[in-house]
Amino acid sequence: MDPHLLTTFVTVARCGSFSAAAAELGYTQSAISQQVAALEADLGLPLLSRRPVEPTPAGRRLLEHAEPLLLRLRAARADVLRAAATPRHRIRLAATPLGFTSGLADRLARARATFPRLEVTVVTCGPERVAALVAEGDADLGLADGLAAPSDPLRPPDAGPMTIAGVGEEDVVVALPAGHPLAGRAALRLADLVDARWLATPLCPLPRLRALAGDGFPVALEHRGDDVRTVLALVAAGHGLTLLPASALPAPPLRGEAGAVGVPVGVPVGVPVSAPRLVHRVELLHGALPPGPAADLARALTG
């Protein structure tokens, strides 16, 4: 299959319109129609219905393969160009919203102090996008995070050859409102929380929890953003529970008598997870790095 035709097909399927795909790709609508027809002729199957414009069963099957294939092609091009590139002091670092936990922000600060010419731009996005940006050469380094058993790697992204190194692990806690009946527990098991009401948030995907502890974890509220403070505010207000790395929760301030610790309204409580044993893991992703600033920063973050 011609990658050019495949790109056109994916764009039409995503836009749901031949005219919108033409505007995005810079072709006429007639040229887009001809390219989709050529791909359908190559496979001998209709891939898109026309009214409405949506994938046929064969088209949906092709889409499952198309995105990874096109990503691998872009990754191969970026890898070749990266190997021949002149080292730059301007580094683009893609990171998930929780990628700078486990002391990674402090390591970055020390690296910038060690290499004063280093200019770093941080881009925040989801883990799949982090891998894609690194693979395609739009980011020099990436920080991805997720739940894992201690010392176990995260699932590697399907984005071509890539170096992946663990750079941090820390305990996971259940975030609850301060007045929740379980907030005073020393630890909690996930199996005891399958009937609790949970936030559906990209910061803690519920399918992952169900894979770890079985069915359950009903959704109380869906949150589609990636701002940690918003999630903490939703938890504190009683909209649902979630799992977070321990360092993502603010330390409760002292209140009352000297030495007494209180939890004010609006600040959630973190209770450690005792079973299954879980950690929040952060991994560094990068392609081939010739000697230079990017390689220096990678060593600083893994050290």
Side-chain angles (χ1 to χ4, degrees), residues 235-303:
V235 171
H239 291 288
L241 312 184
T242 192
L243 291 189
L244 290 170
S247 64
L249 272 74
L254 295 176
R255 67 165 25 182
E257 297 181 1
V261 177
V263 180
V265 175
V267 177
V269 172
V271 179
V273 176
S274 60
R277 181 75 176 93
L278 292 175
V279 295
H280 175 259
R281 180 176 173 86
V282 181
E283 294 181 342
L284 179 70
L285 289 63
H286 61 81
L289 295 177
D296 293 339
L297 180 56
R299 282 192 296 271
L301 292 176
T302 54

Short mmCIF file of all heavy atoms in Angstrom, two decimals, residues 235-303:
data_model
loop_
_atom_site.label_atom_id
_atom_site.label_comp_id
_atom_site.label_asym_id
_atom_site.label_seq_id
_atom_site.Cartn_x
_atom_site.Cartn_y
_atom_site.Cartn_z
N VAL A 235 -11.61 15.62 43.85
CA VAL A 235 -11.55 14.62 44.92
C VAL A 235 -11.93 15.26 46.25
O VAL A 235 -12.76 14.72 47.01
CB VAL A 235 -10.15 13.98 45.01
CG1 VAL A 235 -10.04 13.11 46.27
CG2 VAL A 235 -9.85 13.15 43.77
N ALA A 236 -11.34 16.41 46.56
CA ALA A 236 -11.60 17.06 47.85
C ALA A 236 -13.07 17.41 48.02
O ALA A 236 -13.60 17.39 49.13
CB ALA A 236 -10.74 18.32 47.97
N ALA A 237 -13.75 17.72 46.90
CA ALA A 237 -15.17 18.08 46.96
C ALA A 237 -16.09 16.87 46.97
O ALA A 237 -17.31 17.02 47.02
CB ALA A 237 -15.52 18.99 45.78
N GLY A 238 -15.51 15.65 46.93
CA GLY A 238 -16.32 14.45 47.03
C GLY A 238 -16.87 13.90 45.74
O GLY A 238 -17.81 13.10 45.75
N HIS A 239 -16.29 14.29 44.60
CA HIS A 239 -16.80 13.82 43.31
C HIS A 239 -16.32 12.42 42.94
O HIS A 239 -16.80 11.84 41.97
CB HIS A 239 -16.41 14.80 42.21
CG HIS A 239 -17.11 16.11 42.30
ND1 HIS A 239 -18.44 16.28 42.01
CD2 HIS A 239 -16.66 17.34 42.69
CE1 HIS A 239 -18.79 17.54 42.19
NE2 HIS A 239 -17.72 18.20 42.61
N GLY A 240 -15.36 11.88 43.67
CA GLY A 240 -14.87 10.54 43.36
C GLY A 240 -13.44 10.36 43.84
O GLY A 240 -12.75 11.33 44.17
N LEU A 241 -13.00 9.11 43.87
CA LEU A 241 -11.64 8.78 44.29
C LEU A 241 -10.74 8.63 43.07
O LEU A 241 -11.20 8.47 41.95
CB LEU A 241 -11.63 7.46 45.08
CG LEU A 241 -12.67 7.27 46.19
CD1 LEU A 241 -12.43 5.95 46.90
CD2 LEU A 241 -12.64 8.43 47.16
N THR A 242 -9.45 8.63 43.30
CA THR A 242 -8.49 8.32 42.25
C THR A 242 -7.19 7.87 42.88
O THR A 242 -7.01 7.96 44.10
CB THR A 242 -8.26 9.54 41.33
OG1 THR A 242 -7.55 9.12 40.16
CG2 THR A 242 -7.44 10.62 42.03
N LEU A 243 -6.29 7.33 42.06
CA LEU A 243 -4.94 6.97 42.50
C LEU A 243 -3.96 8.00 41.97
O LEU A 243 -4.06 8.41 40.81
CB LEU A 243 -4.53 5.58 41.98
CG LEU A 243 -5.22 4.36 42.54
CD1 LEU A 243 -4.50 3.10 42.06
CD2 LEU A 243 -5.28 4.37 44.05
N LEU A 244 -3.00 8.39 42.80
CA LEU A 244 -1.99 9.35 42.40
C LEU A 244 -0.67 8.99 43.06
O LEU A 244 -0.65 8.33 44.11
CB LEU A 244 -2.40 10.77 42.83
CG LEU A 244 -3.57 11.43 42.10
CD1 LEU A 244 -3.98 12.71 42.81
CD2 LEU A 244 -3.23 11.71 40.64
N PRO A 245 0.44 9.43 42.46
CA PRO A 245 1.71 9.28 43.18
C PRO A 245 1.66 10.11 44.46
O PRO A 245 1.05 11.19 44.49
CB PRO A 245 2.75 9.81 42.19
CG PRO A 245 1.98 10.66 41.24
CD PRO A 245 0.62 10.06 41.15
N ALA A 246 2.31 9.62 45.51
CA ALA A 246 2.23 10.29 46.80
C ALA A 246 2.65 11.75 46.73
O ALA A 246 2.06 12.62 47.39
CB ALA A 246 3.09 9.53 47.82
N SER A 247 3.65 12.06 45.91
CA SER A 247 4.16 13.44 45.86
C SER A 247 3.20 14.40 45.17
O SER A 247 3.39 15.62 45.24
CB SER A 247 5.52 13.46 45.14
OG SER A 247 5.38 13.07 43.79
N ALA A 248 2.16 13.88 44.49
CA ALA A 248 1.21 14.77 43.80
C ALA A 248 0.24 15.42 44.78
O ALA A 248 -0.39 16.43 44.45
CB ALA A 248 0.42 13.98 42.75
N LEU A 249 0.11 14.84 45.99
CA LEU A 249 -0.78 15.42 46.98
C LEU A 249 -0.02 16.42 47.85
O LEU A 249 1.10 16.12 48.29
CB LEU A 249 -1.39 14.34 47.88
CG LEU A 249 -2.68 13.71 47.36
CD1 LEU A 249 -2.37 12.78 46.19
CD2 LEU A 249 -3.41 12.97 48.45
N PRO A 250 -0.60 17.59 48.09
CA PRO A 250 0.10 18.57 48.93
C PRO A 250 0.18 18.08 50.37
O PRO A 250 -0.74 17.43 50.87
CB PRO A 250 -0.78 19.82 48.81
CG PRO A 250 -2.14 19.29 48.46
CD PRO A 250 -1.91 18.07 47.62
N ALA A 251 1.28 18.39 51.03
CA ALA A 251 1.41 18.04 52.44
C ALA A 251 0.45 18.90 53.25
O ALA A 251 0.36 20.11 53.04
CB ALA A 251 2.85 18.27 52.91
N PRO A 252 -0.31 18.30 54.18
CA PRO A 252 -1.25 19.10 54.97
C PRO A 252 -0.51 20.08 55.87
O PRO A 252 0.52 19.73 56.46
CB PRO A 252 -2.00 18.05 55.79
CG PRO A 252 -1.09 16.87 55.84
CD PRO A 252 -0.33 16.89 54.55
N PRO A 253 -0.98 21.31 55.97
CA PRO A 253 -0.29 22.30 56.81
C PRO A 253 -0.54 22.04 58.28
O PRO A 253 -1.49 21.37 58.66
CB PRO A 253 -0.93 23.62 56.36
CG PRO A 253 -2.30 23.22 55.91
CD PRO A 253 -2.16 21.85 55.30
N LEU A 254 0.35 22.58 59.11
CA LEU A 254 0.14 22.50 60.55
C LEU A 254 -1.01 23.41 60.94
O LEU A 254 -1.16 24.51 60.45
CB LEU A 254 1.42 22.95 61.29
CG LEU A 254 2.65 22.06 61.10
CD1 LEU A 254 3.84 22.70 61.81
CD2 LEU A 254 2.42 20.67 61.62
N ARG A 255 -1.83 22.93 61.86
CA ARG A 255 -2.90 23.78 62.36
C ARG A 255 -3.21 23.40 63.80
O ARG A 255 -2.89 22.29 64.24
CB ARG A 255 -4.15 23.70 61.49
CG ARG A 255 -4.82 22.37 61.50
CD ARG A 255 -6.24 22.37 60.93
NE ARG A 255 -6.49 23.42 60.00
CZ ARG A 255 -7.68 23.61 59.43
NH1 ARG A 255 -8.68 22.80 59.72
NH2 ARG A 255 -7.86 24.59 58.58
N GLY A 256 -3.82 24.30 64.52
CA GLY A 256 -4.15 24.02 65.91
C GLY A 256 -2.94 24.18 66.79
O GLY A 256 -2.12 25.09 66.62
N GLU A 257 -2.75 23.26 67.73
CA GLU A 257 -1.64 23.33 68.66
C GLU A 257 -0.33 23.04 67.95
O GLU A 257 -0.30 22.40 66.90
CB GLU A 257 -1.86 22.34 69.81
CG GLU A 257 -3.10 22.66 70.65
CD GLU A 257 -3.26 21.66 71.78
OE1 GLU A 257 -2.39 20.77 71.89
OE2 GLU A 257 -4.23 21.77 72.54
N ALA A 258 0.75 23.47 68.59
CA ALA A 258 2.08 23.25 68.01
C ALA A 258 2.31 21.78 67.80
O ALA A 258 2.10 20.96 68.70
CB ALA A 258 3.15 23.82 68.95
N GLY A 259 2.74 21.43 66.59
CA GLY A 259 3.05 20.04 66.28
C GLY A 259 1.86 19.24 65.82
O GLY A 259 2.00 18.11 65.38
N ALA A 260 0.64 19.79 65.90
CA ALA A 260 -0.54 19.05 65.47
C ALA A 260 -0.73 19.25 63.98
O ALA A 260 -0.58 20.34 63.45
CB ALA A 260 -1.78 19.54 66.21
N VAL A 261 -1.07 18.15 63.29
CA VAL A 261 -1.28 18.21 61.86
C VAL A 261 -2.76 18.09 61.56
O VAL A 261 -3.42 17.17 62.04
CB VAL A 261 -0.50 17.08 61.14
CG1 VAL A 261 -0.80 17.11 59.65
CG2 VAL A 261 0.98 17.20 61.41
N GLY A 262 -3.29 19.02 60.80
CA GLY A 262 -4.69 18.96 60.42
C GLY A 262 -4.84 18.97 58.92
O GLY A 262 -3.92 19.35 58.21
N VAL A 263 -5.99 18.54 58.43
CA VAL A 263 -6.27 18.56 57.00
C VAL A 263 -7.39 19.55 56.75
O VAL A 263 -8.54 19.30 57.13
CB VAL A 263 -6.67 17.16 56.49
CG1 VAL A 263 -6.94 17.22 54.99
CG2 VAL A 263 -5.59 16.15 56.80
N PRO A 264 -7.11 20.71 56.16
CA PRO A 264 -8.15 21.70 55.94
C PRO A 264 -9.12 21.27 54.86
O PRO A 264 -8.82 20.41 54.03
CB PRO A 264 -7.35 22.93 55.48
CG PRO A 264 -6.11 22.38 54.88
CD PRO A 264 -5.79 21.14 55.66
N VAL A 265 -10.30 21.88 54.87
CA VAL A 265 -11.27 21.62 53.82
C VAL A 265 -10.67 22.02 52.48
O VAL A 265 -10.03 23.06 52.36
CB VAL A 265 -12.57 22.41 54.09
CG1 VAL A 265 -13.55 22.24 52.93
CG2 VAL A 265 -13.19 21.97 55.40
N GLY A 266 -10.89 21.20 51.47
CA GLY A 266 -10.36 21.51 50.15
C GLY A 266 -9.05 20.82 49.84
O GLY A 266 -8.54 20.94 48.72
N VAL A 267 -8.50 20.08 50.80
CA VAL A 267 -7.26 19.34 50.56
C VAL A 267 -7.55 17.85 50.73
O VAL A 267 -7.97 17.43 51.80
CB VAL A 267 -6.15 19.77 51.54
CG1 VAL A 267 -4.89 18.92 51.33
CG2 VAL A 267 -5.83 21.25 51.36
N PRO A 268 -7.37 17.04 49.68
CA PRO A 268 -7.63 15.60 49.82
C PRO A 268 -6.57 14.91 50.67
O PRO A 268 -5.50 15.44 50.91
CB PRO A 268 -7.60 15.10 48.38
CG PRO A 268 -6.75 16.08 47.66
CD PRO A 268 -6.94 17.40 48.34
N VAL A 269 -6.92 13.71 51.11
CA VAL A 269 -6.02 12.88 51.91
C VAL A 269 -5.51 11.73 51.05
O VAL A 269 -6.26 11.18 50.24
CB VAL A 269 -6.78 12.32 53.14
CG1 VAL A 269 -5.92 11.31 53.89
CG2 VAL A 269 -7.18 13.46 54.06
N GLY A 270 -4.25 11.37 51.21
CA GLY A 270 -3.68 10.24 50.48
C GLY A 270 -3.45 9.07 51.42
O GLY A 270 -2.74 9.20 52.42
N VAL A 271 -4.05 7.92 51.11
CA VAL A 271 -3.87 6.70 51.91
C VAL A 271 -3.12 5.68 51.05
O VAL A 271 -3.55 5.38 49.93
CB VAL A 271 -5.23 6.12 52.36
CG1 VAL A 271 -5.02 4.83 53.17
CG2 VAL A 271 -6.00 7.13 53.18
N PRO A 272 -2.01 5.14 51.53
CA PRO A 272 -1.21 4.20 50.72
C PRO A 272 -2.01 2.96 50.30
O PRO A 272 -2.91 2.52 51.01
CB PRO A 272 -0.06 3.81 51.67
CG PRO A 272 0.04 4.94 52.63
CD PRO A 272 -1.37 5.44 52.82
N VAL A 273 -1.66 2.44 49.14
CA VAL A 273 -2.24 1.19 48.63
C VAL A 273 -1.38 0.04 49.11
O VAL A 273 -0.18 -0.01 48.82
CB VAL A 273 -2.32 1.21 47.09
CG1 VAL A 273 -2.83 -0.12 46.57
CG2 VAL A 273 -3.20 2.35 46.60
N SER A 274 -1.99 -0.91 49.84
CA SER A 274 -1.23 -2.04 50.38
C SER A 274 -1.25 -3.25 49.46
O SER A 274 -0.30 -4.04 49.45
CB SER A 274 -1.78 -2.44 51.76
OG SER A 274 -3.14 -2.81 51.67
N ALA A 275 -2.30 -3.42 48.67
CA ALA A 275 -2.39 -4.57 47.77
C ALA A 275 -3.34 -4.21 46.62
O ALA A 275 -4.40 -3.63 46.86
CB ALA A 275 -2.90 -5.80 48.51
N PRO A 276 -2.96 -4.57 45.39
CA PRO A 276 -1.64 -5.11 45.02
C PRO A 276 -0.55 -4.06 45.21
O PRO A 276 -0.83 -2.86 45.24
CB PRO A 276 -1.82 -5.46 43.55
CG PRO A 276 -2.86 -4.50 43.05
CD PRO A 276 -3.80 -4.30 44.21
N ARG A 277 0.68 -4.52 45.34
CA ARG A 277 1.80 -3.61 45.53
C ARG A 277 2.02 -2.84 44.24
O ARG A 277 2.33 -3.42 43.19
CB ARG A 277 3.06 -4.40 45.91
CG ARG A 277 4.28 -3.53 46.16
CD ARG A 277 4.21 -2.80 47.49
NE ARG A 277 5.46 -2.06 47.74
CZ ARG A 277 5.64 -0.79 47.40
NH1 ARG A 277 4.67 -0.11 46.81
NH2 ARG A 277 6.79 -0.18 47.66
N LEU A 278 1.86 -1.53 44.29
CA LEU A 278 1.96 -0.71 43.09
C LEU A 278 2.90 0.45 43.32
O LEU A 278 3.06 0.92 44.45
CB LEU A 278 0.59 -0.14 42.71
CG LEU A 278 -0.48 -1.11 42.22
CD1 LEU A 278 -1.79 -0.37 42.02
CD2 LEU A 278 -0.04 -1.77 40.93
N VAL A 279 3.51 0.90 42.26
CA VAL A 279 4.30 2.13 42.29
C VAL A 279 3.90 2.98 41.10
O VAL A 279 3.33 2.49 40.11
CB VAL A 279 5.82 1.85 42.23
CG1 VAL A 279 6.29 1.10 43.47
CG2 VAL A 279 6.20 1.10 40.96
N HIS A 280 4.16 4.25 41.22
CA HIS A 280 4.04 5.15 40.08
C HIS A 280 5.43 5.23 39.45
O HIS A 280 6.39 5.65 40.09
CB HIS A 280 3.58 6.53 40.55
CG HIS A 280 3.55 7.55 39.46
ND1 HIS A 280 4.54 8.49 39.29
CD2 HIS A 280 2.66 7.76 38.47
CE1 HIS A 280 4.25 9.24 38.25
NE2 HIS A 280 3.13 8.83 37.74
N ARG A 281 5.53 4.80 38.21
CA ARG A 281 6.83 4.69 37.54
C ARG A 281 6.94 5.75 36.45
O ARG A 281 5.97 6.00 35.71
CB ARG A 281 6.99 3.30 36.93
CG ARG A 281 8.32 3.07 36.21
CD ARG A 281 8.41 1.61 35.74
NE ARG A 281 9.57 1.38 34.89
CZ ARG A 281 10.78 1.07 35.34
NH1 ARG A 281 10.99 0.97 36.64
NH2 ARG A 281 11.78 0.86 34.51
N VAL A 282 8.10 6.36 36.36
CA VAL A 282 8.39 7.33 35.30
C VAL A 282 9.54 6.79 34.45
O VAL A 282 10.54 6.30 35.00
CB VAL A 282 8.78 8.71 35.88
CG1 VAL A 282 9.03 9.70 34.74
CG2 VAL A 282 7.69 9.23 36.81
N GLU A 283 9.38 6.85 33.14
CA GLU A 283 10.41 6.35 32.23
C GLU A 283 10.84 7.44 31.25
O GLU A 283 10.02 8.27 30.82
CB GLU A 283 9.89 5.14 31.45
CG GLU A 283 9.63 3.93 32.34
CD GLU A 283 9.15 2.71 31.57
OE1 GLU A 283 8.69 2.86 30.42
OE2 GLU A 283 9.22 1.60 32.13
N LEU A 284 12.12 7.42 30.92
CA LEU A 284 12.68 8.34 29.93
C LEU A 284 12.72 7.64 28.58
O LEU A 284 13.19 6.50 28.47
CB LEU A 284 14.09 8.76 30.34
CG LEU A 284 14.81 9.71 29.37
CD1 LEU A 284 14.17 11.09 29.40
CD2 LEU A 284 16.30 9.81 29.73
N LEU A 285 12.22 8.31 27.53
CA LEU A 285 12.18 7.77 26.18
C LEU A 285 13.02 8.64 25.27
O LEU A 285 12.95 9.87 25.34
CB LEU A 285 10.74 7.74 25.63
CG LEU A 285 9.71 6.77 26.17
CD1 LEU A 285 9.41 7.00 27.64
CD2 LEU A 285 8.42 6.86 25.36
N HIS A 286 13.80 8.02 24.42
CA HIS A 286 14.52 8.79 23.39
C HIS A 286 14.99 7.87 22.29
O HIS A 286 15.13 6.66 22.48
CB HIS A 286 15.70 9.57 23.99
CG HIS A 286 16.76 8.72 24.64
ND1 HIS A 286 17.73 8.08 23.91
CD2 HIS A 286 17.00 8.41 25.94
CE1 HIS A 286 18.53 7.41 24.74
NE2 HIS A 286 18.10 7.60 25.97
N GLY A 287 15.24 8.46 21.13
CA GLY A 287 15.82 7.73 20.02
C GLY A 287 17.34 7.74 20.13
O GLY A 287 17.90 8.02 21.20
N ALA A 288 18.00 7.44 19.03
CA ALA A 288 19.47 7.47 19.02
C ALA A 288 19.94 8.89 19.28
O ALA A 288 19.51 9.84 18.61
CB ALA A 288 19.98 6.97 17.67
N LEU A 289 20.83 9.07 20.26
CA LEU A 289 21.32 10.39 20.62
C LEU A 289 22.82 10.48 20.40
O LEU A 289 23.60 9.83 21.11
CB LEU A 289 21.02 10.69 22.10
CG LEU A 289 19.54 10.80 22.51
CD1 LEU A 289 19.43 11.01 24.01
CD2 LEU A 289 18.86 11.93 21.75
N PRO A 290 23.27 11.25 19.40
CA PRO A 290 24.70 11.45 19.23
C PRO A 290 25.23 12.26 20.41
O PRO A 290 24.47 12.92 21.12
CB PRO A 290 24.79 12.24 17.92
CG PRO A 290 23.47 12.92 17.80
CD PRO A 290 22.46 12.00 18.42
N PRO A 291 26.55 12.22 20.66
CA PRO A 291 27.11 13.02 21.75
C PRO A 291 26.70 14.48 21.62
O PRO A 291 26.74 15.06 20.53
CB PRO A 291 28.62 12.84 21.57
CG PRO A 291 28.77 11.54 20.86
CD PRO A 291 27.58 11.45 19.94
N GLY A 292 26.27 15.06 22.73
CA GLY A 292 25.82 16.46 22.69
C GLY A 292 24.87 16.75 23.82
O GLY A 292 24.69 15.94 24.74
N PRO A 293 24.22 17.90 23.78
CA PRO A 293 23.36 18.33 24.89
C PRO A 293 22.22 17.38 25.21
O PRO A 293 21.91 17.16 26.38
CB PRO A 293 22.82 19.69 24.40
CG PRO A 293 23.87 20.18 23.45
CD PRO A 293 24.40 18.95 22.76
N ALA A 294 21.55 16.82 24.20
CA ALA A 294 20.44 15.91 24.47
C ALA A 294 20.92 14.67 25.22
O ALA A 294 20.29 14.20 26.17
CB ALA A 294 19.74 15.53 23.17
N ALA A 295 22.06 14.13 24.77
CA ALA A 295 22.61 12.96 25.46
C ALA A 295 23.04 13.32 26.88
O ALA A 295 22.86 12.52 27.82
CB ALA A 295 23.80 12.41 24.66
N ASP A 296 23.60 14.52 27.07
CA ASP A 296 23.99 14.96 28.41
C ASP A 296 22.77 15.06 29.33
O ASP A 296 22.81 14.65 30.48
CB ASP A 296 24.70 16.32 28.33
CG ASP A 296 26.04 16.24 27.64
OD1 ASP A 296 26.62 15.13 27.56
OD2 ASP A 296 26.51 17.30 27.13
N LEU A 297 21.68 15.63 28.80
CA LEU A 297 20.48 15.77 29.61
C LEU A 297 19.89 14.41 29.94
O LEU A 297 19.41 14.18 31.06
CB LEU A 297 19.45 16.64 28.89
CG LEU A 297 18.14 16.88 29.62
CD1 LEU A 297 18.39 17.47 30.99
CD2 LEU A 297 17.21 17.77 28.78
N ALA A 298 19.92 13.48 28.98
CA ALA A 298 19.41 12.13 29.24
C ALA A 298 20.17 11.47 30.37
O ALA A 298 19.60 10.84 31.26
CB ALA A 298 19.49 11.29 27.97
N ARG A 299 21.49 11.63 30.38
CA ARG A 299 22.30 11.04 31.47
C ARG A 299 21.96 11.71 32.80
O ARG A 299 21.90 11.05 33.84
CB ARG A 299 23.79 11.19 31.15
CG ARG A 299 24.30 10.18 30.15
CD ARG A 299 25.83 10.16 30.10
NE ARG A 299 26.35 11.45 29.62
CZ ARG A 299 26.56 11.73 28.35
NH1 ARG A 299 26.27 10.81 27.42
NH2 ARG A 299 27.05 12.90 27.97
N ALA A 300 21.75 13.01 32.77
CA ALA A 300 21.43 13.71 34.02
C ALA A 300 20.10 13.26 34.59
O ALA A 300 19.92 13.15 35.82
CB ALA A 300 21.42 15.22 33.78
N LEU A 301 19.13 13.00 33.73
CA LEU A 301 17.80 12.59 34.20
C LEU A 301 17.78 11.15 34.69
O LEU A 301 16.97 10.78 35.54
CB LEU A 301 16.77 12.77 33.09
CG LEU A 301 16.46 14.23 32.70
CD1 LEU A 301 15.49 14.28 31.52
CD2 LEU A 301 15.89 15.01 33.88
N THR A 302 18.65 10.31 34.15
CA THR A 302 18.70 8.91 34.57
C THR A 302 19.62 8.69 35.76
O THR A 302 19.62 7.63 36.37
CB THR A 302 19.14 7.99 33.42
OG1 THR A 302 20.38 8.46 32.89
CG2 THR A 302 18.10 7.96 32.31
N GLY A 303 20.44 9.70 36.10
CA GLY A 303 21.41 9.53 37.17
C GLY A 303 20.79 9.70 38.55
O GLY A 303 19.68 10.14 38.72
#
